mmCIF file of all heavy atoms in Angstrom:
data_model
loop_
_atom_site.group_PDB
_atom_site.id
_atom_site.type_symbol
_atom_site.label_atom_id
_atom_site.label_comp_id
_atom_site.label_asym_id
_atom_site.label_seq_id
_atom_site.Cartn_x
_atom_site.Cartn_y
_atom_site.Cartn_z
ATOM 1 N N ILE D 4 -34.410 -45.679 -35.430
ATOM 2 C CA ILE D 4 -34.501 -44.664 -34.381
ATOM 3 C C ILE D 4 -33.118 -44.077 -34.141
ATOM 4 O O ILE D 4 -32.150 -44.816 -33.935
ATOM 5 C CB ILE D 4 -35.065 -45.290 -33.078
ATOM 6 C CG1 ILE D 4 -36.493 -45.793 -33.328
ATOM 7 C CG2 ILE D 4 -35.039 -44.269 -31.940
ATOM 8 C CD1 ILE D 4 -37.071 -46.587 -32.190
ATOM 9 N N ASN D 5 -33.065 -42.765 -34.164
ATOM 10 C CA ASN D 5 -31.781 -42.086 -34.003
ATOM 11 C C ASN D 5 -31.527 -41.829 -32.521
ATOM 12 O O ASN D 5 -31.903 -40.801 -31.978
ATOM 13 C CB ASN D 5 -31.812 -40.778 -34.801
ATOM 14 C CG ASN D 5 -30.426 -40.184 -34.940
ATOM 15 O OD1 ASN D 5 -29.432 -40.811 -34.560
ATOM 16 N ND2 ASN D 5 -30.353 -38.980 -35.457
ATOM 17 N N CYS D 6 -30.886 -42.795 -31.861
ATOM 18 C CA CYS D 6 -30.599 -42.655 -30.432
ATOM 19 C C CYS D 6 -29.594 -41.510 -30.256
ATOM 20 O O CYS D 6 -28.559 -41.488 -30.909
ATOM 21 C CB CYS D 6 -30.017 -43.952 -29.880
ATOM 22 S SG CYS D 6 -29.442 -43.792 -28.182
ATOM 23 N N PRO D 7 -29.897 -40.565 -29.370
ATOM 24 C CA PRO D 7 -29.003 -39.408 -29.211
ATOM 25 C C PRO D 7 -27.614 -39.817 -28.723
ATOM 26 O O PRO D 7 -26.656 -39.070 -28.900
ATOM 27 C CB PRO D 7 -29.690 -38.540 -28.166
ATOM 28 C CG PRO D 7 -30.987 -39.166 -27.859
ATOM 29 C CD PRO D 7 -31.040 -40.520 -28.475
ATOM 30 N N TYR D 8 -27.507 -40.990 -28.124
ATOM 31 C CA TYR D 8 -26.202 -41.424 -27.629
ATOM 32 C C TYR D 8 -25.498 -42.355 -28.609
ATOM 33 O O TYR D 8 -24.314 -42.215 -28.864
ATOM 34 C CB TYR D 8 -26.373 -42.128 -26.274
ATOM 35 C CG TYR D 8 -25.069 -42.479 -25.613
ATOM 36 C CD1 TYR D 8 -24.288 -41.474 -25.030
ATOM 37 C CD2 TYR D 8 -24.601 -43.794 -25.582
ATOM 38 C CE1 TYR D 8 -23.086 -41.781 -24.433
ATOM 39 C CE2 TYR D 8 -23.386 -44.100 -24.990
ATOM 40 C CZ TYR D 8 -22.631 -43.098 -24.413
ATOM 41 O OH TYR D 8 -21.435 -43.402 -23.829
ATOM 42 N N CYS D 9 -26.244 -43.296 -29.196
ATOM 43 C CA CYS D 9 -25.629 -44.347 -30.024
ATOM 44 C C CYS D 9 -25.673 -44.055 -31.516
ATOM 45 O O CYS D 9 -24.938 -44.660 -32.288
ATOM 46 C CB CYS D 9 -26.325 -45.681 -29.791
ATOM 47 S SG CYS D 9 -26.440 -46.149 -28.071
ATOM 48 N N GLY D 10 -26.597 -43.195 -31.955
ATOM 49 C CA GLY D 10 -26.775 -42.992 -33.386
ATOM 50 C C GLY D 10 -27.977 -43.769 -33.887
ATOM 51 O O GLY D 10 -28.712 -44.359 -33.104
ATOM 52 N N ARG D 12 -30.282 -46.502 -35.182
ATOM 53 C CA ARG D 12 -30.285 -47.961 -35.040
ATOM 54 C C ARG D 12 -31.652 -48.544 -35.403
ATOM 55 O O ARG D 12 -32.661 -47.853 -35.347
ATOM 56 C CB ARG D 12 -29.962 -48.353 -33.582
ATOM 57 C CG ARG D 12 -28.642 -47.848 -33.069
ATOM 58 C CD ARG D 12 -27.509 -48.430 -33.873
ATOM 59 N NE ARG D 12 -26.241 -47.816 -33.517
ATOM 60 C CZ ARG D 12 -25.437 -48.281 -32.558
ATOM 61 N NH1 ARG D 12 -25.780 -49.329 -31.871
ATOM 62 N NH2 ARG D 12 -24.303 -47.686 -32.311
ATOM 63 N N GLU D 16 -33.394 -53.082 -31.781
ATOM 64 C CA GLU D 16 -32.509 -52.863 -30.629
ATOM 65 C C GLU D 16 -33.262 -52.252 -29.450
ATOM 66 O O GLU D 16 -32.725 -52.157 -28.354
ATOM 67 C CB GLU D 16 -31.373 -51.898 -31.006
ATOM 68 C CG GLU D 16 -30.311 -52.500 -31.884
ATOM 69 C CD GLU D 16 -29.106 -51.579 -32.036
ATOM 70 O OE1 GLU D 16 -29.004 -50.586 -31.292
ATOM 71 O OE2 GLU D 16 -28.268 -51.872 -32.893
ATOM 72 N N PHE D 17 -34.487 -51.806 -29.717
ATOM 73 C CA PHE D 17 -35.235 -51.064 -28.696
ATOM 74 C C PHE D 17 -36.436 -51.867 -28.221
ATOM 75 O O PHE D 17 -36.897 -52.778 -28.897
ATOM 76 C CB PHE D 17 -35.755 -49.742 -29.283
ATOM 77 C CG PHE D 17 -34.690 -48.797 -29.767
ATOM 78 C CD1 PHE D 17 -34.065 -48.990 -30.998
ATOM 79 C CD2 PHE D 17 -34.303 -47.718 -28.994
ATOM 80 C CE1 PHE D 17 -33.086 -48.120 -31.449
ATOM 81 C CE2 PHE D 17 -33.334 -46.834 -29.442
ATOM 82 C CZ PHE D 17 -32.716 -47.044 -30.674
ATOM 83 N N HIS D 56 -37.105 -47.859 -25.071
ATOM 84 C CA HIS D 56 -35.938 -48.167 -24.246
ATOM 85 C C HIS D 56 -34.854 -48.740 -25.145
ATOM 86 O O HIS D 56 -35.106 -49.731 -25.850
ATOM 87 C CB HIS D 56 -36.354 -49.199 -23.187
ATOM 88 C CG HIS D 56 -35.291 -49.506 -22.178
ATOM 89 N ND1 HIS D 56 -35.191 -50.727 -21.564
ATOM 90 C CD2 HIS D 56 -34.291 -48.740 -21.658
ATOM 91 C CE1 HIS D 56 -34.173 -50.704 -20.710
ATOM 92 N NE2 HIS D 56 -33.616 -49.524 -20.748
ATOM 93 N N HIS D 57 -33.688 -48.120 -25.146
ATOM 94 C CA HIS D 57 -32.608 -48.671 -25.979
ATOM 95 C C HIS D 57 -31.973 -49.844 -25.240
ATOM 96 O O HIS D 57 -30.826 -49.789 -24.799
ATOM 97 C CB HIS D 57 -31.573 -47.600 -26.335
ATOM 98 C CG HIS D 57 -30.748 -47.991 -27.520
ATOM 99 N ND1 HIS D 57 -29.704 -47.242 -27.994
ATOM 100 C CD2 HIS D 57 -30.825 -49.071 -28.341
ATOM 101 C CE1 HIS D 57 -29.163 -47.858 -29.043
ATOM 102 N NE2 HIS D 57 -29.840 -48.965 -29.264
ATOM 103 N N SER D 58 -32.739 -50.927 -25.157
ATOM 104 C CA SER D 58 -32.358 -52.048 -24.289
ATOM 105 C C SER D 58 -31.137 -52.798 -24.806
ATOM 106 O O SER D 58 -30.391 -53.361 -24.021
ATOM 107 C CB SER D 58 -33.546 -52.991 -24.123
ATOM 108 O OG SER D 58 -34.151 -53.233 -25.363
ATOM 109 N N HIS D 59 -30.932 -52.825 -26.117
ATOM 110 C CA HIS D 59 -29.737 -53.498 -26.646
ATOM 111 C C HIS D 59 -28.683 -52.474 -27.051
ATOM 112 O O HIS D 59 -27.903 -52.702 -27.975
ATOM 113 C CB HIS D 59 -30.104 -54.393 -27.832
ATOM 114 C CG HIS D 59 -31.003 -55.528 -27.453
ATOM 115 N ND1 HIS D 59 -30.519 -56.710 -26.942
ATOM 116 C CD2 HIS D 59 -32.350 -55.630 -27.458
ATOM 117 C CE1 HIS D 59 -31.541 -57.506 -26.674
ATOM 118 N NE2 HIS D 59 -32.656 -56.873 -26.970
ATOM 119 N N GLY D 60 -28.699 -51.323 -26.383
ATOM 120 C CA GLY D 60 -27.710 -50.288 -26.672
ATOM 121 C C GLY D 60 -27.295 -49.631 -25.372
ATOM 122 O O GLY D 60 -26.841 -50.297 -24.452
ATOM 123 N N CYS D 61 -27.540 -48.321 -25.273
ATOM 124 C CA CYS D 61 -27.054 -47.560 -24.128
ATOM 125 C C CYS D 61 -27.970 -47.652 -22.905
ATOM 126 O O CYS D 61 -27.669 -47.066 -21.872
ATOM 127 C CB CYS D 61 -26.893 -46.102 -24.532
ATOM 128 S SG CYS D 61 -28.462 -45.373 -25.053
ATOM 129 N N ARG D 62 -29.097 -48.354 -23.021
ATOM 130 C CA ARG D 62 -30.073 -48.529 -21.937
ATOM 131 C C ARG D 62 -30.801 -47.235 -21.588
ATOM 132 O O ARG D 62 -31.413 -47.141 -20.521
ATOM 133 C CB ARG D 62 -29.420 -49.103 -20.659
ATOM 134 C CG ARG D 62 -28.665 -50.394 -20.821
ATOM 135 C CD ARG D 62 -29.509 -51.594 -21.008
ATOM 136 N NE ARG D 62 -30.476 -51.857 -19.957
ATOM 137 C CZ ARG D 62 -31.272 -52.936 -19.951
ATOM 138 N NH1 ARG D 62 -31.205 -53.823 -20.921
ATOM 139 N NH2 ARG D 62 -32.154 -53.119 -18.989
ATOM 140 N N MET D 63 -30.751 -46.254 -22.477
ATOM 141 C CA MET D 63 -31.443 -45.012 -22.189
ATOM 142 C C MET D 63 -32.924 -45.145 -22.571
ATOM 143 O O MET D 63 -33.272 -45.771 -23.554
ATOM 144 C CB MET D 63 -30.804 -43.868 -22.979
ATOM 145 C CG MET D 63 -31.156 -42.535 -22.423
ATOM 146 S SD MET D 63 -29.891 -41.265 -22.548
ATOM 147 C CE MET D 63 -29.131 -41.429 -24.101
ATOM 148 N N TRP D 64 -33.790 -44.554 -21.721
ATOM 149 C CA TRP D 64 -35.211 -44.410 -22.068
ATOM 150 C C TRP D 64 -35.364 -43.115 -22.859
ATOM 151 O O TRP D 64 -34.850 -42.072 -22.445
ATOM 152 C CB TRP D 64 -36.079 -44.390 -20.813
ATOM 153 C CG TRP D 64 -36.353 -45.773 -20.312
ATOM 154 C CD1 TRP D 64 -35.571 -46.506 -19.467
ATOM 155 C CD2 TRP D 64 -37.477 -46.603 -20.659
ATOM 156 N NE1 TRP D 64 -36.146 -47.743 -19.261
ATOM 157 C CE2 TRP D 64 -37.310 -47.835 -19.973
ATOM 158 C CE3 TRP D 64 -38.598 -46.432 -21.469
ATOM 159 C CZ2 TRP D 64 -38.233 -48.876 -20.083
ATOM 160 C CZ3 TRP D 64 -39.510 -47.471 -21.582
ATOM 161 C CH2 TRP D 64 -39.325 -48.687 -20.891
ATOM 162 N N LEU D 65 -36.055 -43.220 -24.006
ATOM 163 C CA LEU D 65 -36.134 -42.088 -24.930
ATOM 164 C C LEU D 65 -37.581 -41.684 -25.174
ATOM 165 O O LEU D 65 -38.481 -42.520 -25.119
ATOM 166 C CB LEU D 65 -35.507 -42.484 -26.274
ATOM 167 C CG LEU D 65 -34.062 -42.986 -26.201
ATOM 168 C CD1 LEU D 65 -33.664 -43.654 -27.506
ATOM 169 C CD2 LEU D 65 -33.119 -41.833 -25.888
HETATM 170 ZN ZN1 ZN M 1 -28.603 -45.706 -27.350
#
Side-chain angles (χ1 to χ4, degrees):
Chain D
I4 297 172
N5 193 7
C6 173
Y8 186 74
C9 308
R12 302 298 172 90
E16 286 189 12
F17 299 79
H56 186 210
H57 199 184
S58 46
H59 295 276
C61 61
R62 305 287 303 183
M63 198 146 40
W64 278 87
L65 304 166

